[in-house]
Amino acid sequence: MVKLVLFGGAFDPVHVEHQSLYDAVVKELSFDELIIIPSYNPPHKTGGRMTDFEDRVNMLRIAFPDAVISDYEYRSGKKNYTYETLKRFKTSDNEIYYVIGGD
């Protein structure tokens, strides 16, 4: 069974708490793969403007140069609900752990 950690969030902007959480996951959890999933069009963020998706991905690449960063939510082109994203990554061969910040 593959242990997959998904680290989700707006990352708008990427900040030291994201880095602390990432470091804690890497240090404390035993997993096979970790994927960072920046949100694209979250339904709970209405009326506000988010930083451009590509800019947020570039910030993630700088902050986490060795990380896998998924553009799944961007490619979907629609409002993204967490349960749909988790279903997309869930297979019969993996066990998913979902990590998000407290803000």
Side-chain angles (χ1 to χ4, degrees):
M1 181 76 52
V2 174
K3 290 184 178 181
L4 174 62
V5 175
L6 302 177
F7 182 13
F11 302 102
D12 190 16
V14 176
H15 53 73
V16 69
E17 290 305 320
H18 293 127
Q19 291 173 318
S20 295
L21 187 53
Y22 179 91
D23 291 343
V25 167
V26 168
K27 181 180 177 185
E28 300 296 330
L29 295 181
S30 173
F31 60 86
D32 298 299
E33 186 175 9
L34 187 151
I35 301 173
I36 298 175
I37 306 174
S39 56
Y40 174 63
N41 191 8
H44 65 284
K45 298 223 181 202
T46 58
R49 180 158 160 31
M50 291 182 68
T51 302
D52 181 70
F53 183 81
E54 282 299 318
D55 290 338
R56 291 183 288 125
V57 168
N58 287 331
M59 285 188 278
L60 287 166
R61 287 186 180 129
I62 291 167
F64 309 107
D66 298 325
V68 173
I69 302 167
S70 172
D71 66 351
Y72 166 74
E73 290 196 359
Y74 176 78
R75 285 183 290 112
S76 78
K78 60 183 181 107
K79 287 202 181 291
N80 301 113
Y81 293 90
T82 302
Y83 80 94
E84 292 174 332
T85 299
L86 296 177
K87 279 177 36 177
R88 155 54 183 91
F89 284 90
K90 180 65 181 141
T91 70
S92 61
D93 296 331
N94 70 15
E95 188 172 73
I96 290 181
Y97 298 86
Y98 187 60
V99 177
I100 57 173
D103 58 343

